[in-house]
């Protein structure tokens, strides 16, 4: 089979010639998947040269239709030969025959800009949130802590456990984030898998927070970003800096749902409650912390929750440098999921986040870092495209 890839009238056009059967179904599926990963959400499949389709080929068509419909994109077939069209109609997919790829409606309040690695769209307005710290500034300080419920309007990240008491939480303390009524936790220990809770009716997720940051409120400003063609990915520090600038404040929170080019970070191997002495001393640190040796989780989708500020902020003890210069500081956790394309345009935070948790497949949680060691450092986390919700912190002088 021959597969040609072009653009036509704003849509991505796949022109096929040959038999769409079990031999070629995987190749066509790979072409569709690659297009979606590249940000193509309006796809037309020209089948003038296809004289046969089997059930394997039909599965590819169905998968493309469902995937694009899930992100409110468009998928259509055109120039379908009579014999192939009959098979498609009898399979209940007649709606796809010669259907035009829909045009995605654009928000009336879009503002566009560019940064070093990305193009940006801005939607909505700035609404402040209130930030507070729990426990000590160090992940290994377990003297404090408290139980916190996470409603849809409460965000959090830090070291915690999905547990009802301090005693239950201490041996399981690990990376944690919460937002939109969803809470995710990676218990310390290499054999443990990440777990999560999602609010349902009267049920609200709760966790014991040993140390972390909690924000009250709902971000109203949405930034959409897309990597520029000449760039490999959009670095995390660039996203955090853009969020801080857009907030108009000295301290801001930001939440992203993004398609991943590669993540750099770490997680706890051992609960901080079990640590003794200097937790960062070598060689014991290798038993306590796990780090990515290179960019990991490429071609996944992740959620991040973070706090960002400029150097000198009253929140500086809770934050870490995001770049070699140390000018921008942040504390950012990421929850990693299997790849799922993110709908373009203006989207709702709660619906987007809950959609990922409800589909399932949570792979890992990481404390994101910028490994600036020269020359062996892994560098910064990078992203292809995504949505970033931003809110200024209303109490920047109260750590």
């Amino acid at each position: 089979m021959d597969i040609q890839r072009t653009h036509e009238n704003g849509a991505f056009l796949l022109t096929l010639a040959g038999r769409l059967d079990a031999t070629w179904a995987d190749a066509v599926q790979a072409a569709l998947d690659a297009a979606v990963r590249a940000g193509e959400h309006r796809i037309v499949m020209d089948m003038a040269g296809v004289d046969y389709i089997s059930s394997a080929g039909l599965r590819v068509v169905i998968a493309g239709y469902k995937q694009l419909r899930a992100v409110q994109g468009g998928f259509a077939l055109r120039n379908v030969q009579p014999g192939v069209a009959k098979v498609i109609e009898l399979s209940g997919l007649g709606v796809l025959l010669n259907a035009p790829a829909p045009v995605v409606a654009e928000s009336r309040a879009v503002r566009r800009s560019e940064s070093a690695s990305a193009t940006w769209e801005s939607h909505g307005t700035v609404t402040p949130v209130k930030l507070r710290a729990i426990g000590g500034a160090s992940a290994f300080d377990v003297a404090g802590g408290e139980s916190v419920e996470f409603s849809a309007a409460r965000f959090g990240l830090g070291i915690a456990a999905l547990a009802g008491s301090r005693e239950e939480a201490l041996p399981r303390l690990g990376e944690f984030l919460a937002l939109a009524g969803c809470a995710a936790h990676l218990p310390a220990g290499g054999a443990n898998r990440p777990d999560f809770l999602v609010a349902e009716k009267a049920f609200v997720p709760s966790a014991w927070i040993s140390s972390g940051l909690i924000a009250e409120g709902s971000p109203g400003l949405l930034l959409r970003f897309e990597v520029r063609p000449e760039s490999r990915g959009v670095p995390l520090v660039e996203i955090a800096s853009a969020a801080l600038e857009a907030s108009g404040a000295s301290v801001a929170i930001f939440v992203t749902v993004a398609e991943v080019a590669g993540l750099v970070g770490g997680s706890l191997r051992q609960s901080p409650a079990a640590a003794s002495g200097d937790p960062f001393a070598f060689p014991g640190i290798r038993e306590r912390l796990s780090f990515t040796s290179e960019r990991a989780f490429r071609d996944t989708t992740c959620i991040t929750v973070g706090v960002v500020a400029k150097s000198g902020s009253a929140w500086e003890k809770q934050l870490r440098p995001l770049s070699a210069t140390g000018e921008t500081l942040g504390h950012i956790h990421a929850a990693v999921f299997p790849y799922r394309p993110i709908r373009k345009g203006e989207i709702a935070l709660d619906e987007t986040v809950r959609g990922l948790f409800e589909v399932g497949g949570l792979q890992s949680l990481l404390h994101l870092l910028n490994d600036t060691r020269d020359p062996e450092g892994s560098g910064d986390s990078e992203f292809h495209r995504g949505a970033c919700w931003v809110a200024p912190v209303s109490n920047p002088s109260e750590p």
Side-chain angles (χ1 to χ4, degrees), residues 90-378:
L90 291 174
S91 301
L93 297 174
V95 67
L96 296 179
L97 298 175
N98 299 309
V103 177
V104 178
E106 186 175 274
S107 169
R108 292 173 293 177
V110 176
R111 301 173 294 278
R112 292 184 171 86
S113 61
E114 292 187 351
S115 60
S117 305
T119 58
W120 297 83
E121 293 180 358
S122 178
H123 307 257
T125 58
V126 172
T127 54
V129 300
K130 188 172 183 179
L131 187 66
R132 70 184 181 99
I134 292 178
S138 169
F140 290 89
D141 184 351
V142 297
E146 64 180 84
S147 182
V148 180
E149 289 189 343
F150 287 93
S151 64
R154 181 173 287 162
F155 301 76
L157 73 156
I159 301 302
L162 299 177
S165 67
R166 183 175 187 273
E167 292 70 25
E168 183 186 353
L170 285 179
R172 297 178 57 79
L173 291 173
E175 315 306 324
F176 172 84
L177 64 75
L179 72 166
C182 306
H185 167 229
L186 178 62
N192 291 325
R193 298 181 61 182
D195 203 359
F196 64 93
L197 294 171
V198 177
E200 295 290 348
K201 296 183 179 179
F203 171 73
V204 178
S206 65
W208 178 269
I209 313 295
S210 174
S211 63
L213 296 166
I214 308 295
E216 307 281 352
S218 298
L221 179 63
L222 169 62
L223 306 179
R224 296 305 307 258
F225 62 91
E226 177 102 16
V227 65
R228 297 173 68 168
E230 65 273 18
S231 299
R232 179 180 63 183
V234 187
L236 178 63
V237 66
E238 192 170 323
I239 297 170
S241 298
L244 184 60
E245 181 179 356
S247 76
S250 59
V251 185
I253 70 152
F254 68 101
V255 173
T256 70
V257 178
E259 298 173 26
V260 175
L263 297 179
V264 179
S267 59
L268 291 172
R269 286 183 179 270
Q270 182 184 73
S271 169
S276 60
D278 181 358
F280 298 101
F282 186 83
I285 188 173
R286 295 186 301 184
E287 302 299 321
R288 299 185 180 106
L289 298 172
S290 174
F291 296 97
T292 54
S293 58
E294 57 187 14
R295 289 185 180 88
F297 299 106
R298 178 179 174 82
D299 293 334
T300 58
T301 297
C302 85
I303 297 169
T304 69
V305 177
V307 176
V308 61
K310 291 296 184 182
S311 179
S313 162
W315 295 86
E316 189 163 339
K317 289 184 178 180
Q318 282 79 20
L319 311 178
R320 301 292 180 267
L322 296 180
S323 64
T325 63
E327 178 185 0
T328 304
L329 307 177
H331 187 174
I332 306 162
H333 283 196
V336 185
F337 296 83
Y339 176 78
R340 186 180 181 188
I342 302 166
R343 181 161 59 88
K344 296 185 177 183
E346 190 168 6
I347 57 178
L349 186 154
D350 287 10
E351 177 186 354
T352 305
V353 168
R354 288 179 68 92
L356 283 174
F357 277 98
E358 287 169 356
V359 169
L362 177 62
Q363 295 181 359
S364 187
L365 270 78
L366 290 174
H367 177 122
L368 297 185
L369 305 165
N370 190 347
D371 186 359
T372 59
R373 295 174 298 165
D374 190 22
E376 70 274 14
S378 303

